[in-house]
Amino acid sequence: MEANQQIKVMPSPADLTADDFARIGADEKQAEIIQRESVSALKDAWQRLLSNKLAMTALFILIAIALMSIFGPLMSKFNYYSNDLLSGNMKPNSEHWFGTDDFGRDMFVRTWYGARISLVVGLVAALIDLCIGVVYGGIMGFFGGRVDTIMNKFSEILYAIPYLLVTILLLVVMEPSLVTIIIALTITGWINMSWIVRGEIIQLKNREFVLASRSMGAGSGRLLFRHLLPNALGPIIVTVTLSVPNAIFAEAFLSFLGLGVQAPVASLGSMINDALTGWLYYPWRMLFPAVLISLIMLSFNILGDGLRDALDPNLKN
Amino acid sequence: MVRYIANKLFYTLISLFILISATFFLMKAIPGDPFMSEKKVPEEIRQRLMEQYGLDKPVFQQYIKYLGDIVQGDLGISMKKINQEVSDIIGQTFSASLKLGLVAIVVSVIIGVVLGLLAALYHRKIIDNITMVLAVLGIAVPSFVLASLLQYVFASKLHWLPTMGFKGPLYYVLPVAALSAQPIAFIARLTRSSMLEVLHADYIKTAKAKGLSWFAILTRHVVRNGIMPVVTYMGPMTANIVTGSVVIEQIFGIGGIGKQFVQAITSRDYPMIMGITIFYGALLMIARLVTDVAYGLIDPRIKLNARKEG
């Protein structure tokens, strides 16, 4: 129907002259013009992440928790270490918003303070893992051959030793403190990262852009840090994100054994451990730190999954 | 295959040796000696004690002796539990931990695989969504939080299950649930993604085209191929459950090795800490070894790779 109508509107072929036609063709100059703003891979991934509602919620929750862990303790007139034995084990009320613990310490301040310690442990441990893992894995992957074999065997041997046992041993020997806990957590924590980096580098190093750079005289350092690692950034970011909750969990686990931060300093793990003794009678002492630690771990896991989807769309299942 | 196993065994032994050495030297690095605590012990008695425990000899000699003892299964004598051999204490308490751990492993694998399979079969349907939400929650909630929560709800408030102890089948429910939650979540996710991959593979189409029944396809092709990643997870899962049981035993008052370990750490009973660390280490490394070998047996591609490497 429509086709018929169009034909009617069009002038009959006999009426057309040569002037009615113009050569359109492909303008080579126009073809070179970039119509849209060029989008780097990372920016592209960021856009994808922005459209992932679940991951953005997780990110938002994490930012909110981080802000509260910084400013929360300032909002109350109490501090995390002062005992007040007369007002111990109080239920949440207008004075003590989250109640008090068995020493009468304010739970609101302690919970956010504990979240601060847990986040610091998680983030710093993950960053140290990142630094060691990237260097070690980068060397393994980049140089290959015998260097790779020996370094890889070494990391495999270390990895076979259960990391929590090593961590426990170290903390039994060293005085437990924030610094020693982070050291103990990173002593084997970097291995996973090094394997991820190694795998990526091995895949990338035979690609054309590396060859091009090498033929222009780029040295090993430049190749590794300017070309290979930036291209391996996606998996590295995902691994870092997912290793934060692991470190937070490990710290909580150590606190459970009495090897975490020592009172009156609190971490979410040590607060949960403290709350265990009277928890059937004073559930709120357990509730707030437990909910917070679960929320933190949940958010990091969801964010990590979201980042994985955003950075590597091929992987999405 | 023999070469593959021998290779794995060799590296496992090296790892174990490093763990033992690290344990020994770390414990030696602690300042002071075990008899310096609380009461002042007269010098003469201290000398005798040091001699009895062999602590008066040079460190290296002690180290050699320690290695020799371990080979013979002797982990030394507890310092807090008078005259008890560490290996005896481990032997007495291991059965409770073993029962708990094995039940948790079996439960994790069965529920995890079934959930993952269902999620894959009903991809993007309600079962899939529920499973994935549970899986994320299971990974995020630490086992000790879950344990306390279960204890509070089902034992303390509802009185359906016992709070503490380890005397009968009912006593297993809560600790096993707390221990298995994380492995279940992990296995469900692994199974789901690998089953999804397998379901779209060409050989499944071939099987359908051959006219095989859906049940036969599922059992003979889908599950057999999709289960592979779960096998690789067996080693880490054992580690997860063993370390998790340290805390779970404490919460539910189960007299297993985990509880001994916590006690040893809090009372600084060094021979016990060393003994249990080495025992756990050996156990987990054996689990890893078995996993690797099992994987090699199931998946013929692994053998080829091993030969290429070696």
PDB file of all heavy atoms in Angstrom, chain A residues 35-60:
ATOM      1  N   GLN A  35      32.761  11.523  15.118  1.00  0.00           N
ATOM      2  CA  GLN A  35      31.473  12.133  15.435  1.00  0.00           C
ATOM      3  C   GLN A  35      31.275  12.263  16.944  1.00  0.00           C
ATOM      4  O   GLN A  35      30.891  13.301  17.440  1.00  0.00           O
ATOM      5  CB  GLN A  35      30.338  11.276  14.864  1.00  0.00           C
ATOM      6  CG  GLN A  35      30.369  11.174  13.361  1.00  0.00           C
ATOM      7  CD  GLN A  35      29.705  12.367  12.707  1.00  0.00           C
ATOM      8  OE1 GLN A  35      28.998  13.125  13.363  1.00  0.00           O
ATOM      9  NE2 GLN A  35      29.957  12.566  11.428  1.00  0.00           N
ATOM     10  N   ARG A  36      31.530  11.134  17.630  1.00  0.00           N
ATOM     11  CA  ARG A  36      31.272  11.171  19.070  1.00  0.00           C
ATOM     12  C   ARG A  36      32.573  11.365  19.826  1.00  0.00           C
ATOM     13  O   ARG A  36      33.649  11.025  19.324  1.00  0.00           O
ATOM     14  CB  ARG A  36      30.620   9.863  19.505  1.00  0.00           C
ATOM     15  CG  ARG A  36      29.117   9.918  19.382  1.00  0.00           C
ATOM     16  CD  ARG A  36      28.495   8.851  20.219  1.00  0.00           C
ATOM     17  NE  ARG A  36      28.777   7.524  19.679  1.00  0.00           N
ATOM     18  CZ  ARG A  36      28.434   6.423  20.307  1.00  0.00           C
ATOM     19  NH1 ARG A  36      27.826   6.488  21.471  1.00  0.00           N
ATOM     20  NH2 ARG A  36      28.693   5.252  19.802  1.00  0.00           N
ATOM     21  N   GLU A  37      32.443  11.842  21.007  1.00  0.00           N
ATOM     22  CA  GLU A  37      33.601  11.979  21.869  1.00  0.00           C
ATOM     23  C   GLU A  37      34.203  10.589  22.065  1.00  0.00           C
ATOM     24  O   GLU A  37      33.472   9.623  22.260  1.00  0.00           O
ATOM     25  CB  GLU A  37      33.105  12.495  23.219  1.00  0.00           C
ATOM     26  CG  GLU A  37      34.173  13.099  24.085  1.00  0.00           C
ATOM     27  CD  GLU A  37      33.612  13.434  25.452  1.00  0.00           C
ATOM     28  OE1 GLU A  37      32.381  13.611  25.557  1.00  0.00           O
ATOM     29  OE2 GLU A  37      34.375  13.495  26.395  1.00  0.00           O
ATOM     30  N   SER A  38      35.528  10.490  21.995  1.00  0.00           N
ATOM     31  CA  SER A  38      36.102   9.155  22.162  1.00  0.00           C
ATOM     32  C   SER A  38      36.020   8.754  23.629  1.00  0.00           C
ATOM     33  O   SER A  38      36.214   9.567  24.528  1.00  0.00           O
ATOM     34  CB  SER A  38      37.558   9.154  21.704  1.00  0.00           C
ATOM     35  OG  SER A  38      38.365   9.732  22.674  1.00  0.00           O
ATOM     36  N   VAL A  39      35.679   7.491  23.834  1.00  0.00           N
ATOM     37  CA  VAL A  39      35.468   7.014  25.195  1.00  0.00           C
ATOM     38  C   VAL A  39      36.544   6.000  25.517  1.00  0.00           C
ATOM     39  O   VAL A  39      36.697   5.008  24.810  1.00  0.00           O
ATOM     40  CB  VAL A  39      34.074   6.354  25.325  1.00  0.00           C
ATOM     41  CG1 VAL A  39      33.866   5.867  26.734  1.00  0.00           C
ATOM     42  CG2 VAL A  39      33.000   7.336  24.926  1.00  0.00           C
ATOM     43  N   SER A  40      37.314   6.277  26.563  1.00  0.00           N
ATOM     44  CA  SER A  40      38.346   5.317  26.938  1.00  0.00           C
ATOM     45  C   SER A  40      37.685   4.092  27.556  1.00  0.00           C
ATOM     46  O   SER A  40      36.532   4.137  27.978  1.00  0.00           O
ATOM     47  CB  SER A  40      39.311   5.945  27.940  1.00  0.00           C
ATOM     48  OG  SER A  40      38.663   6.105  29.171  1.00  0.00           O
ATOM     49  N   ALA A  41      38.446   2.999  27.615  1.00  0.00           N
ATOM     50  CA  ALA A  41      37.887   1.744  28.117  1.00  0.00           C
ATOM     51  C   ALA A  41      37.384   1.910  29.544  1.00  0.00           C
ATOM     52  O   ALA A  41      36.312   1.430  29.900  1.00  0.00           O
ATOM     53  CB  ALA A  41      38.946   0.655  28.041  1.00  0.00           C
ATOM     54  N   LEU A  42      38.153   2.651  30.341  1.00  0.00           N
ATOM     55  CA  LEU A  42      37.769   2.808  31.742  1.00  0.00           C
ATOM     56  C   LEU A  42      36.492   3.628  31.877  1.00  0.00           C
ATOM     57  O   LEU A  42      35.618   3.325  32.671  1.00  0.00           O
ATOM     58  CB  LEU A  42      38.894   3.479  32.529  1.00  0.00           C
ATOM     59  CG  LEU A  42      39.971   2.547  33.051  1.00  0.00           C
ATOM     60  CD1 LEU A  42      40.915   3.306  33.950  1.00  0.00           C
ATOM     61  CD2 LEU A  42      39.363   1.374  33.799  1.00  0.00           C
ATOM     62  N   LYS A  43      36.405   4.681  31.027  1.00  0.00           N
ATOM     63  CA  LYS A  43      35.221   5.527  31.084  1.00  0.00           C
ATOM     64  C   LYS A  43      34.000   4.726  30.670  1.00  0.00           C
ATOM     65  O   LYS A  43      32.916   4.846  31.247  1.00  0.00           O
ATOM     66  CB  LYS A  43      35.424   6.715  30.141  1.00  0.00           C
ATOM     67  CG  LYS A  43      34.790   7.996  30.658  1.00  0.00           C
ATOM     68  CD  LYS A  43      35.233   9.144  29.797  1.00  0.00           C
ATOM     69  CE  LYS A  43      34.521  10.407  30.209  1.00  0.00           C
ATOM     70  NZ  LYS A  43      34.836  11.495  29.307  1.00  0.00           N
ATOM     71  N   ASP A  44      34.206   3.913  29.649  1.00  0.00           N
ATOM     72  CA  ASP A  44      33.142   3.058  29.161  1.00  0.00           C
ATOM     73  C   ASP A  44      32.658   2.128  30.286  1.00  0.00           C
ATOM     74  O   ASP A  44      31.462   1.972  30.519  1.00  0.00           O
ATOM     75  CB  ASP A  44      33.694   2.234  27.989  1.00  0.00           C
ATOM     76  CG  ASP A  44      32.591   1.579  27.201  1.00  0.00           C
ATOM     77  OD1 ASP A  44      31.501   2.172  27.133  1.00  0.00           O
ATOM     78  OD2 ASP A  44      32.820   0.485  26.672  1.00  0.00           O
ATOM     79  N   ALA A  45      33.631   1.549  30.977  1.00  0.00           N
ATOM     80  CA  ALA A  45      33.294   0.647  32.077  1.00  0.00           C
ATOM     81  C   ALA A  45      32.548   1.406  33.168  1.00  0.00           C
ATOM     82  O   ALA A  45      31.587   0.899  33.755  1.00  0.00           O
ATOM     83  CB  ALA A  45      34.566   0.025  32.649  1.00  0.00           C
ATOM     84  N   TRP A  46      32.980   2.628  33.430  1.00  0.00           N
ATOM     85  CA  TRP A  46      32.346   3.449  34.453  1.00  0.00           C
ATOM     86  C   TRP A  46      30.880   3.701  34.096  1.00  0.00           C
ATOM     87  O   TRP A  46      29.998   3.625  34.942  1.00  0.00           O
ATOM     88  CB  TRP A  46      33.126   4.750  34.609  1.00  0.00           C
ATOM     89  CG  TRP A  46      32.531   5.733  35.545  1.00  0.00           C
ATOM     90  CD1 TRP A  46      32.090   6.966  35.250  1.00  0.00           C
ATOM     91  CD2 TRP A  46      32.303   5.561  36.953  1.00  0.00           C
ATOM     92  NE1 TRP A  46      31.601   7.574  36.365  1.00  0.00           N
ATOM     93  CE2 TRP A  46      31.715   6.734  37.427  1.00  0.00           C
ATOM     94  CE3 TRP A  46      32.533   4.507  37.851  1.00  0.00           C
ATOM     95  CZ2 TRP A  46      31.355   6.926  38.756  1.00  0.00           C
ATOM     96  CZ3 TRP A  46      32.182   4.685  39.175  1.00  0.00           C
ATOM     97  CH2 TRP A  46      31.601   5.874  39.618  1.00  0.00           C
ATOM     98  N   GLN A  47      30.651   3.978  32.801  1.00  0.00           N
ATOM     99  CA  GLN A  47      29.265   4.189  32.345  1.00  0.00           C
ATOM    100  C   GLN A  47      28.427   2.941  32.585  1.00  0.00           C
ATOM    101  O   GLN A  47      27.288   3.016  33.024  1.00  0.00           O
ATOM    102  CB  GLN A  47      29.259   4.510  30.845  1.00  0.00           C
ATOM    103  CG  GLN A  47      30.053   5.733  30.478  1.00  0.00           C
ATOM    104  CD  GLN A  47      29.222   6.994  30.485  1.00  0.00           C
ATOM    105  OE1 GLN A  47      28.104   6.954  30.054  1.00  0.00           O
ATOM    106  NE2 GLN A  47      29.753   8.073  31.006  1.00  0.00           N
ATOM    107  N   ARG A  48      29.033   1.787  32.283  1.00  0.00           N
ATOM    108  CA  ARG A  48      28.301   0.537  32.487  1.00  0.00           C
ATOM    109  C   ARG A  48      28.015   0.327  33.959  1.00  0.00           C
ATOM    110  O   ARG A  48      26.942  -0.130  34.335  1.00  0.00           O
ATOM    111  CB  ARG A  48      29.114  -0.641  31.933  1.00  0.00           C
ATOM    112  CG  ARG A  48      28.689  -1.047  30.542  1.00  0.00           C
ATOM    113  CD  ARG A  48      29.208  -2.428  30.200  1.00  0.00           C
ATOM    114  NE  ARG A  48      30.654  -2.480  30.216  1.00  0.00           N
ATOM    115  CZ  ARG A  48      31.406  -2.179  29.159  1.00  0.00           C
ATOM    116  NH1 ARG A  48      30.857  -1.827  28.032  1.00  0.00           N
ATOM    117  NH2 ARG A  48      32.723  -2.239  29.237  1.00  0.00           N
ATOM    118  N   LEU A  49      28.990   0.682  34.796  1.00  0.00           N
ATOM    119  CA  LEU A  49      28.805   0.503  36.233  1.00  0.00           C
ATOM    120  C   LEU A  49      27.689   1.422  36.730  1.00  0.00           C
ATOM    121  O   LEU A  49      26.859   1.038  37.549  1.00  0.00           O
ATOM    122  CB  LEU A  49      30.109   0.818  36.970  1.00  0.00           C
ATOM    123  CG  LEU A  49      30.096   0.494  38.466  1.00  0.00           C
ATOM    124  CD1 LEU A  49      30.011  -1.003  38.672  1.00  0.00           C
ATOM    125  CD2 LEU A  49      31.333   1.034  39.153  1.00  0.00           C
ATOM    126  N   LEU A  50      27.663   2.654  36.187  1.00  0.00           N
ATOM    127  CA  LEU A  50      26.643   3.619  36.606  1.00  0.00           C
ATOM    128  C   LEU A  50      25.239   3.090  36.335  1.00  0.00           C
ATOM    129  O   LEU A  50      24.309   3.374  37.080  1.00  0.00           O
ATOM    130  CB  LEU A  50      26.840   4.946  35.866  1.00  0.00           C
ATOM    131  CG  LEU A  50      27.910   5.874  36.417  1.00  0.00           C
ATOM    132  CD1 LEU A  50      27.972   7.135  35.594  1.00  0.00           C
ATOM    133  CD2 LEU A  50      27.621   6.219  37.873  1.00  0.00           C
ATOM    134  N   SER A  51      25.105   2.312  35.265  1.00  0.00           N
ATOM    135  CA  SER A  51      23.778   1.827  34.927  1.00  0.00           C
ATOM    136  C   SER A  51      23.417   0.555  35.688  1.00  0.00           C
ATOM    137  O   SER A  51      22.308   0.056  35.573  1.00  0.00           O
ATOM    138  CB  SER A  51      23.679   1.577  33.420  1.00  0.00           C
ATOM    139  OG  SER A  51      24.595   0.572  33.068  1.00  0.00           O
ATOM    140  N   ASN A  52      24.369   0.024  36.461  1.00  0.00           N
ATOM    141  CA  ASN A  52      24.101  -1.169  37.269  1.00  0.00           C
ATOM    142  C   ASN A  52      23.594  -0.720  38.643  1.00  0.00           C
ATOM    143  O   ASN A  52      24.363  -0.302  39.506  1.00  0.00           O
ATOM    144  CB  ASN A  52      25.394  -1.985  37.385  1.00  0.00           C
ATOM    145  CG  ASN A  52      25.187  -3.273  38.154  1.00  0.00           C
ATOM    146  OD1 ASN A  52      24.215  -3.421  38.889  1.00  0.00           O
ATOM    147  ND2 ASN A  52      26.103  -4.208  37.984  1.00  0.00           N
ATOM    148  N   LYS A  53      22.273  -0.796  38.822  1.00  0.00           N
ATOM    149  CA  LYS A  53      21.668  -0.224  40.029  1.00  0.00           C
ATOM    150  C   LYS A  53      22.173  -0.890  41.296  1.00  0.00           C
ATOM    151  O   LYS A  53      22.470  -0.235  42.288  1.00  0.00           O
ATOM    152  CB  LYS A  53      20.144  -0.371  39.963  1.00  0.00           C
ATOM    153  CG  LYS A  53      19.503   0.602  38.992  1.00  0.00           C
ATOM    154  CD  LYS A  53      18.021   0.768  39.313  1.00  0.00           C
ATOM    155  CE  LYS A  53      17.310   1.567  38.233  1.00  0.00           C
ATOM    156  NZ  LYS A  53      16.861   0.727  37.094  1.00  0.00           N
ATOM    157  N   LEU A  54      22.289  -2.229  41.251  1.00  0.00           N
ATOM    158  CA  LEU A  54      22.704  -2.965  42.445  1.00  0.00           C
ATOM    159  C   LEU A  54      24.109  -2.544  42.875  1.00  0.00           C
ATOM    160  O   LEU A  54      24.363  -2.241  44.048  1.00  0.00           O
ATOM    161  CB  LEU A  54      22.660  -4.461  42.133  1.00  0.00           C
ATOM    162  CG  LEU A  54      22.563  -5.397  43.325  1.00  0.00           C
ATOM    163  CD1 LEU A  54      21.317  -5.097  44.120  1.00  0.00           C
ATOM    164  CD2 LEU A  54      22.566  -6.832  42.842  1.00  0.00           C
ATOM    165  N   ALA A  55      25.015  -2.499  41.893  1.00  0.00           N
ATOM    166  CA  ALA A  55      26.396  -2.142  42.210  1.00  0.00           C
ATOM    167  C   ALA A  55      26.470  -0.707  42.719  1.00  0.00           C
ATOM    168  O   ALA A  55      27.236  -0.393  43.644  1.00  0.00           O
ATOM    169  CB  ALA A  55      27.280  -2.315  40.979  1.00  0.00           C
ATOM    170  N   MET A  56      25.662   0.192  42.129  1.00  0.00           N
ATOM    171  CA  MET A  56      25.690   1.583  42.580  1.00  0.00           C
ATOM    172  C   MET A  56      25.157   1.706  44.008  1.00  0.00           C
ATOM    173  O   MET A  56      25.672   2.491  44.807  1.00  0.00           O
ATOM    174  CB  MET A  56      24.866   2.467  41.635  1.00  0.00           C
ATOM    175  CG  MET A  56      25.532   2.728  40.302  1.00  0.00           C
ATOM    176  SD  MET A  56      27.293   3.052  40.392  1.00  0.00           S
ATOM    177  CE  MET A  56      27.275   4.727  40.996  1.00  0.00           C
ATOM    178  N   THR A  57      24.125   0.913  44.314  1.00  0.00           N
ATOM    179  CA  THR A  57      23.620   0.905  45.692  1.00  0.00           C
ATOM    180  C   THR A  57      24.722   0.470  46.649  1.00  0.00           C
ATOM    181  O   THR A  57      24.939   1.085  47.697  1.00  0.00           O
ATOM    182  CB  THR A  57      22.424  -0.060  45.814  1.00  0.00           C
ATOM    183  OG1 THR A  57      21.564   0.147  44.713  1.00  0.00           O
ATOM    184  CG2 THR A  57      21.671   0.160  47.114  1.00  0.00           C
ATOM    185  N   ALA A  58      25.433  -0.594  46.257  1.00  0.00           N
ATOM    186  CA  ALA A  58      26.513  -1.093  47.105  1.00  0.00           C
ATOM    187  C   ALA A  58      27.573  -0.011  47.304  1.00  0.00           C
ATOM    188  O   ALA A  58      28.039   0.228  48.422  1.00  0.00           O
ATOM    189  CB  ALA A  58      27.132  -2.340  46.485  1.00  0.00           C
ATOM    190  N   LEU A  59      27.923   0.654  46.208  1.00  0.00           N
ATOM    191  CA  LEU A  59      28.938   1.715  46.284  1.00  0.00           C
ATOM    192  C   LEU A  59      28.459   2.826  47.212  1.00  0.00           C
ATOM    193  O   LEU A  59      29.211   3.332  48.065  1.00  0.00           O
ATOM    194  CB  LEU A  59      29.201   2.275  44.881  1.00  0.00           C
ATOM    195  CG  LEU A  59      30.298   3.339  44.778  1.00  0.00           C
ATOM    196  CD1 LEU A  59      31.628   2.756  45.188  1.00  0.00           C
ATOM    197  CD2 LEU A  59      30.386   3.878  43.363  1.00  0.00           C
ATOM    198  N   PHE A  60      27.185   3.189  47.068  1.00  0.00           N
ATOM    199  CA  PHE A  60      26.599   4.248  47.889  1.00  0.00           C
ATOM    200  C   PHE A  60      26.637   3.858  49.375  1.00  0.00           C
ATOM    201  O   PHE A  60      27.041   4.661  50.224  1.00  0.00           O
ATOM    202  CB  PHE A  60      25.160   4.491  47.431  1.00  0.00           C
ATOM    203  CG  PHE A  60      24.520   5.658  48.096  1.00  0.00           C
ATOM    204  CD1 PHE A  60      24.851   6.953  47.721  1.00  0.00           C
ATOM    205  CD2 PHE A  60      23.599   5.470  49.118  1.00  0.00           C
ATOM    206  CE1 PHE A  60      24.267   8.030  48.348  1.00  0.00           C
ATOM    207  CE2 PHE A  60      23.011   6.543  49.750  1.00  0.00           C
ATOM    208  CZ  PHE A  60      23.345   7.823  49.368  1.00  0.00           C
TER     209      PHE A  60
END
